[in-house]
Amino acid sequence: MKSVLMALFCCGAYYTQAQAYFSQAYVEHWVAEHSHKTIAGDANACDDFADNVQAALEAEEGQVWNIKGGKAEICRYLRQYNTVLAQAHSQTLIKDLNIESSGFPWLDAKVSYKEHTRVRGENTATLEFVSKNELQLSRTLSGLKIIAMVAKTAS
């Protein structure tokens, strides 16, 4: 009897954790935090990616970068990107967030959203761009990880 109650408790806790991790409020906060860390050049932004992450970045002009090296390659790309923005001030707004959870056992979710970003340098013009992003998030013991990412940016 004790084993059955323990199993039911564990299943309940597992389900509750999935509901919390993939809730609208939690995912919106997590995405905003990840975006902030990425733009600010925070090295911890790389911790949000799974080791075997797949990523495709597409600019308005149609240029596409498929990042094939997993976490190491995307983190190298982010370090180069952040070198350019190191002295800039940025504001980001997340809109139209949509979450599609996978079926049982609630380990993954597809998240899509629009990210409106304004970057202002000290002696440069203000840049504004909108990206349509899709993330495939996976739930781990340490939190959420990005296992796939597609970002299409227009300026």
Side-chain angles (χ1 to χ4, degrees):
M1 180 69 167
K2 209 176 198 183
S3 299
V4 172
L5 288 176
M6 186 58 128
L8 286 173
F9 174 77
C10 289
C11 288
Y14 183 76
Y15 176 78
T16 302
Q17 182 194 35
Q19 293 301 309
Y21 273 12
F22 293 133
S23 71
Q24 186 80 14
Y26 185 85
V27 171
E28 190 166 351
H29 174 75
W30 189 90
V31 166
E33 189 70 23
H34 172 73
S35 178
H36 174 73
K37 288 189 291 188
T38 300
I39 290 175
D42 186 337
N44 292 325
C46 286
D47 294 341
D48 293 339
F49 294 101
D51 290 336
N52 59 345
V53 65
Q54 297 175 349
L57 309 174
E58 184 176 337
E60 182 178 62
E61 301 83 30
Q63 186 171 4
V64 177
W65 297 274
N66 287 309
I67 298 175
K68 299 182 192 284
K71 183 177 180 175
E73 182 67 16
I74 197 162
C75 290
R76 186 178 66 75
Y77 173 83
L78 290 175
R79 280 191 298 277
Q80 289 175 344
Y81 171 75
N82 290 328
T83 301
V84 174
L85 296 178
Q87 301 302 317
H89 173 72
S90 66
Q91 293 175 305
T92 301
L93 179 63
I94 306 295
K95 288 187 171 186
D96 303 329
L97 186 89
N98 184 42
I99 305 165
E100 292 177 34
S101 293
S102 65
F104 182 81
W106 312 292
L107 291 175
D108 299 323
K110 180 180 172 185
V111 177
S112 59
Y113 59 95
K114 289 181 184 172
E115 186 173 32
H116 298 259
T117 304
R118 175 182 289 187
V119 180
R120 187 178 69 242
E122 203 169 295
N123 295 318
T124 61
T126 299
L127 300 173
E128 294 185 37
F129 51 92
V130 176
S131 62
K132 294 180 183 176
N133 302 327
E134 286 186 8
L135 303 177
Q136 185 73 31
L137 298 179
S138 182
R139 180 169 66 115
T140 68
L141 293 175
S142 62
L144 297 177
K145 297 282 184 187
I146 300 169
I147 57 174
M149 176 175 85
V150 176
K152 297 179 180 180
T153 302
S155 52

